[in-house]
Amino acid sequence: MRNFIERQRTNHPPANGFRDWSHLPSELLQLISEKISSFTDYISIRAVCMSWRSAFSSCPSHQPPPQFPWLMLPYNPNPCTGNDTSLRIFYDPVTCRTFEFNLPETSRKRVVGSSHGWLIIEDGPNVSLLNPITKAVIRLPSFTTTPNILHFPPLEEDLSPYPPTVLSRLTYDTGEPNIFNVILTSYPTLDRGCIVMVLVRYWNLVFCRVGDECWTVLGGDQNQEHRDEIGEAVLGVTYHDGLFYSINRHGKVAVYDLQSCKKELIDSMVPIDGSHCYLFASASGELLMLLDHRNGSERSGIIVYKLIRDGVKGKWEETHEIGDTVVFVDCSCQCFSLPVNAFRSGPIGDRMEGNRLFHPYNTKAVCGNEDGYLFNVAIKSVHVGDLSYEKINPNLGVFHSTWSKSMWFSPSLC
C-alpha cells in the first residue's frame, strides 16, 4: 500500500482531470476483492475493463456470504437452426438487475434443476452439472448405464430380486424432461462424497456420488406391491442433517440414511388431492410440507404443514409459523429453504424477514395459437402467517408456454 501511495504522489493527474482507473495497482485491486460481499458486485467489477477482469479471477480467494437466490428466466430449449441458443438470463431480485451468461453447455438442452449453485443439465440420457459463474462442468452417469439397487433391510429382506428397469423405461424423444427434482448434499468441487439425488419420471428416486459410473435406485421402487408406499407415488424429496426425506401421494414419509443403509417409514396421512407437493426443513430442523393448490397455471391456495412425530407414527398439522426460515419455490418441482440469518452478512442484511415464501408465477399475457400461449413472469413474496403477499417484480418479460420454466438459482463460486 505504501508503494502505491508513493506512486500516486509522483504521478500527475491527467489533463482532463479524470484518472485512469483501469491502471490501479494489482495489490490495491486485491484488497478491494477481499472486501466484496456480493456476487452481483463481483461480476460487475470484473466487467469494468480487461485489466480489472484479469486482476479479479473468476474464483475469488474468499467465498462471499450466502446470497439471495437469482431467478433463471425461461428459454427455448428447441430453437430453430440459426438462433442464439446459448444466452441465459438471470434476475437478481435484490438489485433488480438481469445478468446474461453465454452458456453453450446448455445449447439445445434442458436445465432441469439447480442446487448449491450448480445447474443440472439433461441432454437425452446424459446428465451433467454446470456452475454458470465459474463455467465448471461435472459429468454424471448416463441413464443408459445399468443402475445399482440399494436395499434397506429388514424392510425388504423377504422380497425376491427384481430387475432394475426404472431407467430403461425413460424416453428421450418426447422433448419433455425425465428429471423432476434434484438435490445436491454439498458443493461438488469441495466434497467428493457429494450425493446427487434426483426424482425421475415415473416418480422414482435414484442417486449417484460425484465420480460414480452408474446411478443407484432406492430399493423397493420396482416392486408392484410397494409402489403406493414408497415407489412410483413419490412426489417430493428433501435433504436435511444427513438424511433424505421423501413423500408419496398418500402423505406417507420415508426417511433414508444412505450412510448406514437404513430406511424408516413414517405412517402419516394428509389429503394431497393432486396438489403440487414440496418438502423442506425449517431453520430449527422441523420437517415441513408445502401444498400448492393450483387452478391451471394460477396458484389458488398455499397450505403449510409440519410433521408431528410419535415414533413410527406421525401426523401433518397445518401451521402458519415456520420461524426464521425463508422458502423458495419455483415453477418446476424445485423447493429449498434457507435460515434467515444466512443473509445477515450479505447485501440485504437486516432487511430479510423469516416466515416467508418467495415464488415466481406466470400471468397470461397474449393468446397464442395451437402451439401455446405467451405469458409474463413475476415474483411474489408470501407471508406464511396470513398468506398476504406483495409483488417483488410484476413483469420480468414475456415468454412462450413451450419454453423451459423459471427456477431459482443460488450463485456460488464453489
Side-chain angles (χ1 to χ4, degrees):
M1 179 64 73
R2 184 173 63 183
N3 292 337
F4 166 67
I5 295 175
E6 292 297 328
R7 285 198 300 268
Q8 289 296 85
R9 288 173 178 170
T10 58
N11 290 343
H12 297 287
N16 59 10
F18 296 99
R19 292 198 177 277
D20 185 0
W21 292 99
S22 64
H23 291 90
L24 287 178
S26 59
E27 60 265 31
L28 180 58
L29 291 175
Q30 179 62 33
L31 289 175
I32 295 174
S33 170
E34 295 172 357
K35 300 297 183 181
I36 296 176
S37 63
S38 166
F39 281 101
T40 301
D41 292 341
Y42 196 85
I43 292 172
S44 299
I45 205 168
R46 292 189 74 233
V48 169
C49 59
M50 291 299 296
S51 61
W52 283 32
R53 185 175 183 85
S54 60
F56 290 82
S57 64
S58 59
C59 292
S61 57
H62 73 295
Q63 173 71 357
Q67 308 289 297
F68 194 92
W70 297 349
L71 189 68
M72 181 177 176
L73 300 180
Y75 69 94
N76 186 0
N78 301 299
C80 299
T81 302
N83 286 358
D84 180 6
T85 62
S86 301
L87 203 62
R88 303 293 171 253
I89 301 176
F90 296 82
Y91 175 75
D92 179 7
V94 175
T95 62
C96 299
R97 296 176 60 186
T98 57
F99 297 91
E100 295 182 349
F101 290 89
N102 184 31
L103 301 176
E105 300 84 357
T106 65
S107 177
R108 303 181 188 279
K109 303 170 187 175
R110 285 189 176 273
V111 177
V112 292
S114 71
S115 181
H116 278 76
W118 291 73
L119 302 178
I120 292 80
I121 313 297
E122 183 181 324
D123 180 21
N126 301 315
V127 186
S128 60
L129 304 177
L130 167 67
N131 187 324
I133 308 296
T134 66
K135 303 299 180 68
V137 176
I138 297 176
R139 308 292 178 187
L140 298 180
S142 170
F143 284 151
T144 57
T145 59
T146 302
N148 295 322
I149 298 179
L150 181 61
H151 294 281
F152 295 91
L155 288 177
E156 295 165 354
E157 60 184 3
D158 296 327
L159 298 181
S160 59
Y162 49 87
T165 59
V166 56
L167 295 183
S168 64
R169 296 160 62 192
L170 302 180
T171 57
Y172 311 104
D173 56 358
T174 63
E176 296 296 324
N178 284 303
I179 295 177
F180 296 145
N181 200 354
V182 183
I183 295 175
L184 272 63
T185 57
S186 57
Y187 295 102
T189 53
L190 301 180
D191 179 14
R192 294 192 61 83
C194 171
I195 296 175
V196 183
M197 179 71 72
V198 301
L199 175 60
V200 297
R201 188 174 295 277
Y202 307 112
W203 312 110
N204 293 110
L205 289 173
V206 301
F207 73 92
C208 72
R209 290 178 173 84
V210 173
D212 283 356
E213 296 183 356
C214 65
W215 293 92
T216 297
V217 180
L218 292 185
D221 290 0
Q222 304 302 308
N223 189 281
Q224 182 68 42
E225 203 174 298
H226 283 251
R227 281 178 181 170
D228 282 343
E229 293 185 8
I230 52 177
E232 284 191 304
V234 173
L235 298 181
V237 60
T238 192
Y239 176 79
H240 177 68
D241 199 21
L243 301 174
F244 287 95
Y245 298 82
S246 71
I247 188 169
N248 71 0
R249 60 188 175 90
H250 300 300
K252 293 184 178 180
V253 174
V255 186
Y256 299 95
D257 185 343
L258 301 187
Q259 296 298 325
S260 58
C261 196
K262 294 181 180 179
K263 177 175 61 182
E264 178 186 9
L265 295 178
I266 302 175
D267 190 11
S268 53
M269 305 291 287
V270 69
I272 293 178
D273 298 331
S275 305
H276 290 251
C277 179
Y278 307 91
L279 283 182
F280 63 96
S282 69
S284 60
E286 291 181 306
L287 186 64
L288 299 164
M289 175 178 59
L290 171 68
L291 286 188
D292 186 2
H293 300 278
R294 299 188 187 183
N295 180 13
S297 62
E298 297 288 339
R299 280 175 163 83
S300 57
I302 292 175
I303 303 177
V304 179
Y305 294 88
K306 65 178 177 180
L307 182 65
I308 308 298
R309 294 193 58 176
D310 182 14
V312 296
K313 296 291 184 179
K315 66 176 181 178
W316 290 103
E317 182 178 279
E318 185 174 348
T319 181
H320 297 281
E321 178 59 51
I322 61 175
D324 292 331
T325 305
V326 185
V327 186
F328 298 89
V329 183
D330 58 34
C331 295
S332 59
C333 295
Q334 306 288 314
C335 173
F336 62 93
S337 61
L338 292 171
V340 69
N341 60 13
F343 304 107
R344 292 303 188 214
S345 59
I348 55 178
D350 294 333
R351 288 183 292 157
M352 175 56 62
E353 298 178 351
N355 205 37
R356 192 163 290 277
L357 162 74
F358 291 88
H359 70 78
Y361 68 102
N362 302 336
T363 59
K364 199 167 183 178
V366 181
C367 293
N369 50 31
E370 64 275 5
D371 295 327
Y373 59 88
L374 302 178
F375 62 87
N376 289 314
V377 172
I379 299 176
K380 282 184 180 178
S381 170
V382 181
H383 190 274
V384 177
D386 56 10
L387 297 183
S388 60
Y389 69 89
E390 60 177 324
K391 294 182 179 179
I392 303 301
N393 191 303
N395 186 2
L396 296 177
V398 178
F399 306 93
H400 198 276
S401 60
T402 60
W403 289 18
S404 66
K405 298 177 181 179
S406 53
M407 68 177 61
W408 290 110
F409 162 75
S410 298
S412 171
L413 297 170
C414 294

